[in-house]
Amino acid sequence: MLTDNDVLLPKAAKPPYETRLLTLAATSWLIVATAGQWLFGVYILLFYGQSTLAGDFERWNKVLPHGYVAGDWKGNLAVGMHVLLAAILVMGGPLQLLPQLRQRVPRFHRWLGRAYIVTALVVSTLGLFMTWTRGTVGDATQHVSISIQALYIIAFALLAIHYARTRQFAPHRVWALRLFMVVSGVWFFRVGLMFWLLVNGGPVGFDPHTFTGPFLTALSIFTYAIPLSLLVLELYLYAQRRQLKLFSLFVAGVIFLCTLIMGIGIVGATLGMWLPNL
Ligand code: HEM
């Protein structure tokens, strides 16, 4: 039976096949990324949360070569804050991208958004401090690359909050998505590394004792300094804007491939990196 709306309102045209495929690719990517980031978050809360609450700070050194140093309260505080606040980023980031949550509980989106941006600024500043005062695994290229990523995080966080405060929601969305990608860099690094280890059946192209080698140099450059995740995001945004059939199909294919690699890496990181430490 026809209703008034059927008569008065023109039916919204179904989006073309390639647009639906692009949306499906992005949605699958987000579902897999959310699951993987939450697993990382659960690991952070269980491993660092429990050891910190129990006052057993030396347990950090099971995974962090420069985690707890007796007598260096400033450095230890920085590490503790860095890792515990990181949980807000990996648990909260994917929530911010859910359209249903933004539409149904906009106040929650605004509050979590503020917390996310302040946390991103604090965690990346502490990360810079830790990298250059305490040192960490890896070589200078890895340290410089992750420091460049910290600068992206700070710049994108400030831009995302600026556009939200001036109610320019189109650029706000774009800068918030870019921020999510660079904040996720440390997670992409772990997932990328575990994907590589799984498909090669062991360390290839790097020395696991010194944590250096051509593979790790390339991984740190392309996740941190010149993030491929940002390139894929820009391709997706361009495809959404231009709606070109072949280009949309190409980008959907790239996103599906990234989702597959990420899924394998998440399984590897969960089984090989996070679960064994709990
Ligand atoms: C913003 C997103 C970030 C998150 C979510 C994050 C999360 C973490 C976590 C969970 C750890 C503990 C490692 C583990 O248990 O696997 C860690 C360690 C560390 N992070 Fe970050 N981090 C972020 C950004 C950064 C940045 C931008 C830098 C540097 C500029 C950095 C430098 C470090 C250092 C130096 C360690 C200690 C490693 C060691 O002792 O060898 N982090 N981070």
Side-chain angles (χ1 to χ4, degrees):
M1 193 177 65
L2 284 179
T3 65
D4 281 356
N5 277 354
D6 289 324
V7 178
L8 299 175
L9 299 173
K11 270 224 160 68
K14 203 173 173 186
Y17 171 74
E18 62 278 6
T19 307
R20 281 182 285 140
L21 199 69
L22 190 65
T23 307
L24 180 69
T27 309
S28 332
W29 185 91
L30 184 59
I31 291 171
V32 175
T34 303
Q37 296 216 356
W38 284 356
L39 284 167
F40 187 35
V42 169
Y43 152 77
I44 294 174
L45 289 175
L46 289 181
F47 180 75
Y48 292 104
Q50 272 178 0
S51 51
T52 307
L53 282 179
D56 182 8
F57 305 114
E58 277 170 22
R59 219 178 125 207
W60 297 351
N61 295 351
K62 196 174 156 198
V63 282
L64 290 183
H66 305 80
Y68 176 76
V69 178
D72 178 15
W73 70 268
K74 268 193 223 151
N76 296 333
L77 184 67
V79 174
M81 282 177 65
H82 180 85
V83 293
L84 290 171
L85 289 176
I88 298 180
L89 298 176
V90 292
M91 301 299 266
L95 284 180
Q96 286 299 86
L97 302 189
L98 294 181
Q100 290 83 353
L101 215 70
R102 283 202 305 275
Q103 283 147 16
R104 288 192 194 146
V105 264
R107 283 186 68 176
F108 177 75
H109 176 76
R110 281 200 294 274
W111 277 106
L112 183 58
R114 287 185 190 113
Y116 185 85
I117 285 181
V118 172
T119 308
L121 293 170
V122 173
V123 168
S124 45
T125 309
L126 289 170
L128 278 174
F129 169 76
M130 285 152 60
T131 305
W132 296 104
T133 63
R134 286 203 146 190
T136 180
V137 290
D139 57 18
T141 312
Q142 292 175 42
H143 301 164
V144 170
S145 295
I146 197 166
S147 301
I148 294 175
Q149 175 126 99
L151 301 180
Y152 288 142
I153 295 173
I154 294 169
F156 295 1
L158 295 175
L159 283 160
I161 197 88
H162 164 75
Y163 285 116
R165 294 182 72 165
T166 53
R167 306 188 71 77
Q168 300 180 64
F169 295 117
H172 166 68
R173 168 181 173 261
V174 171
W175 284 107
L177 286 172
R178 290 177 182 148
L179 175 64
F180 175 74
M181 287 301 186
V182 288
V183 166
S184 302
V186 294
W187 179 80
F188 288 136
F189 187 90
R190 285 163 173 77
V191 166
L193 173 61
M194 295 316 284
F195 167 79
W196 183 255
L197 288 175
L198 261 187
V199 294
N200 288 298
V204 170
F206 74 98
D207 177 348
H209 303 292
T210 58
F211 208 65
T212 56
F215 169 70
L216 290 177
T217 303
L219 186 64
S220 63
I221 291 178
F222 292 114
T223 39
Y224 297 142
I226 310 168
L228 289 186
S229 60
L230 276 186
L231 178 69
V232 176
L233 173 66
E234 296 308 323
L235 288 175
Y236 170 69
L237 294 172
Y238 187 77
Q240 261 196 336
R241 257 197 327 270
R242 297 300 307 273
Q243 308 256 333
L244 303 169
K245 189 179 169 120
L246 271 182
F247 188 71
S248 293
L249 288 176
F250 165 72
V251 176
V254 170
I255 298 176
F256 276 127
L257 181 67
C258 293
T259 309
L260 179 70
I261 295 175
M262 218 167 59
I264 296 173
I266 291 168
V267 172
T270 308
L271 299 180
M273 212 182 233
W274 301 325
L275 271 184
N277 287 314
L278 295 181

